[in-house]
Amino acid sequence: MTAAAPLNEVPHAPGQLTLPAPTGRYHVGTVDLHLRDASRRDPWVPGQQRELMVSLWYPATHTSRYPAALLPSSQQVLPGGVTLPTTAGHTGAPVDHRAGKLPVVLYSPGLHGSRGQATALVQDLASRGYLVVTLDHTHDSSDVVFPGGRHEVNTMPPGSPSSHTIAIRAADTHFVINQLAEIARGHNPDAEHKPLPHGLSRAVSTKQIGMFGSSLGGGAVPAAMHADSRIRAGANLDGQLFGSEIDKPLNRPFLLFSSEHHNRNSDGSWARFWNHLHGERLDLKLRGSGHNSFVDNQILFPQAPGAFGLAPPQLPQILGTIDPNRSIEIQRTYLAAFFDKHLRHGHHHLLDGPSRHYPEVDFVR
């Protein structure tokens, strides 16, 4: 697959943007589900029932018989005729039974972000044998497309407290986990009863659940873990923390993974949270990275800055100076090591301390 251009180069004819290929042993399948929560009204639009769109990513077989999935975005073509990447996922492909029971990892995006914004990380975890569930938080996400072409856009009032937004995301996550349990029992929770991929119900492991998020999505992970004890391990990719959960004891493993200029030495919310972590706790810093390094912007912006309204000199301010492909490789490696350890009972020396193979990662002690 075509590599991203170095930060100081702009492709002459970028055409279709690309994401790095997954590194795991399995091919990847994906399916979008439309879920309705009969027990909740929408917190942002009075009178509406709470509805969510989620995507499931998983190890798949016979993928050549199923179409490659686009990113879940309402705008596939950007200015200048640049098109968003085709993912490594194949829509509706059967689950690869050789992967056995699949640990579940949930993903929550940044504020107003979409469930597709960390696809480089998500599809890699799926290729390593995980069922990854990405959430759009309706009316917080800037635009969610539902079946039939219905769009639901951001309706959050200006100045909405981040603690309130995070509480809503925690409730969304709890509901989605309940729907996964329904799938594991052989039911189909999709509102339109879209056929589920063959083998999915037998593959879901609701006893091994983790969660990660980027920016505000990472900030929502502690609240989700307090709201649902089934989440056994959590990871926050460079997200500030809000709400009372910062000061509540949490006895499950947690990974804080920060950009170059953000960690618990500079973020009081991280420092307070750190003091209340009583399971395994890790505070890692990725040298040379920026806040946008923890989403697909890291790899997409350098390929065609103009399509995103950026000039090349702006990129280091947004993405840092780390090589984009190296940044994604490191994040994939450490996320997989963390979830492998805590959802699969493996041990990775990578998490014990600094590695000569990844000198860009600092362990903040």
Side-chain angles (χ1 to χ4, degrees):
M1 186 168 286
T2 305
L7 285 175
N8 60 351
E9 294 182 14
V10 182
H12 296 296
Q16 176 136 22
L17 304 180
T18 61
L19 294 172
T23 61
R25 62 187 293 190
Y26 300 105
H27 295 293
V28 178
T30 186
V31 65
D32 298 333
L33 298 182
H34 173 201
L35 305 176
R36 286 199 184 105
D37 188 348
S39 68
R40 267 198 309 160
R41 291 293 176 184
D42 192 288
W44 301 116
V45 179
Q48 281 194 20
Q49 193 176 51
R50 187 62 170 163
E51 296 179 275
L52 301 174
M53 287 299 298
V54 304
S55 294
L56 277 55
W57 300 79
Y58 53 89
T61 188
H62 302 306
T63 51
S64 62
R65 304 177 191 174
Y66 295 82
L70 301 176
L71 285 176
S73 172
S74 59
Q75 184 183 10
Q76 295 294 330
V77 182
L78 305 177
V82 175
T83 57
L84 290 179
T86 300
T87 74
H90 292 261
T91 303
V95 176
D96 191 335
H97 67 86
R98 294 173 296 180
K101 283 285 190 180
L102 304 178
V104 172
V105 176
L106 300 120
Y107 172 75
S108 182
L111 182 66
H112 308 322
S114 82
R115 68 187 190 274
Q117 72 176 32
T119 298
L121 301 179
V122 165
Q123 62 187 16
D124 187 70
L125 278 172
S127 77
R128 296 172 186 250
Y130 287 88
L131 171 61
V132 189
V133 184
T134 60
L135 285 69
D136 265 336
H137 300 282
T138 314
H139 303 128
D140 164 348
S141 295
S142 58
D143 186 11
V144 184
V145 183
F146 284 86
R150 172 169 58 97
H151 290 252
E152 296 289 346
V153 299
N154 168 34
T155 59
M156 291 173 57
S160 297
S162 294
S163 57
H164 179 53
T165 305
I166 281 172
I168 292 167
R169 287 174 172 229
D172 288 345
T173 304
H174 176 72
F175 165 68
V176 169
I177 293 174
N178 287 342
Q179 303 316 293
L180 293 173
E182 288 298 305
I183 291 174
R185 285 192 281 266
H187 301 144
N188 183 353
D190 183 74
E192 283 76 34
H193 302 292
K194 172 193 290 186
L196 299 178
H198 180 73
L200 181 64
S201 63
R202 296 191 302 275
V204 178
S205 173
T206 54
K207 298 184 184 299
Q208 307 291 341
I209 299 177
M211 182 176 179
F212 77 108
S214 46
S215 194
L216 189 79
V221 175
M225 293 179 74
H226 280 292
D228 198 316
S229 62
R230 291 171 292 185
I231 304 173
R232 300 181 58 161
N236 172 3
L237 306 183
D238 211 45
Q240 189 175 355
L241 300 167
F242 300 90
S244 60
E245 286 78 15
I246 299 172
D247 298 310
K248 293 179 180 176
L250 185 64
N251 61 0
R252 282 163 275 164
F254 206 93
L255 166 64
L256 294 165
F257 206 167
S258 73
S259 56
E260 170 84 52
H261 301 295
H262 174 229
N263 56 61
R264 73 176 193 275
N265 295 324
S266 60
D267 184 335
S269 72
W270 279 35
R272 286 163 55 196
F273 181 59
W274 181 261
N275 290 331
H276 291 88
L277 287 173
H278 301 297
E280 180 177 1
R281 57 184 187 173
L282 292 164
D283 184 354
L284 307 183
K285 180 172 70 175
L286 183 57
R287 292 184 190 175
S289 65
H291 187 60
N292 274 270
S293 295
F294 294 90
V295 290
D296 290 341
N297 296 347
Q298 172 75 95
I299 207 81
L300 298 181
F301 283 2
Q303 294 181 57
F308 298 97
L310 300 170
Q314 294 177 276
L315 295 180
Q317 304 166 29
I318 298 168
L319 303 172
T321 55
I322 191 169
D323 175 78
N325 287 294
R326 178 67 171 170
S327 175
I328 296 298
E329 176 194 352
I330 291 169
Q331 293 173 55
R332 286 172 161 183
T333 301
Y334 278 85
L335 270 179
F338 177 75
F339 287 124
D340 282 353
K341 180 175 182 179
H342 297 295
L343 302 183
R344 287 177 160 155
H345 310 296
H347 181 72
H348 286 262
H349 294 294
L350 192 64
L351 303 178
D352 294 341
S355 166
R356 62 184 177 87
H357 299 292
Y358 300 102
E360 302 93 334
V361 177
D362 287 338
F363 281 67
V364 182
R365 301 302 189 185

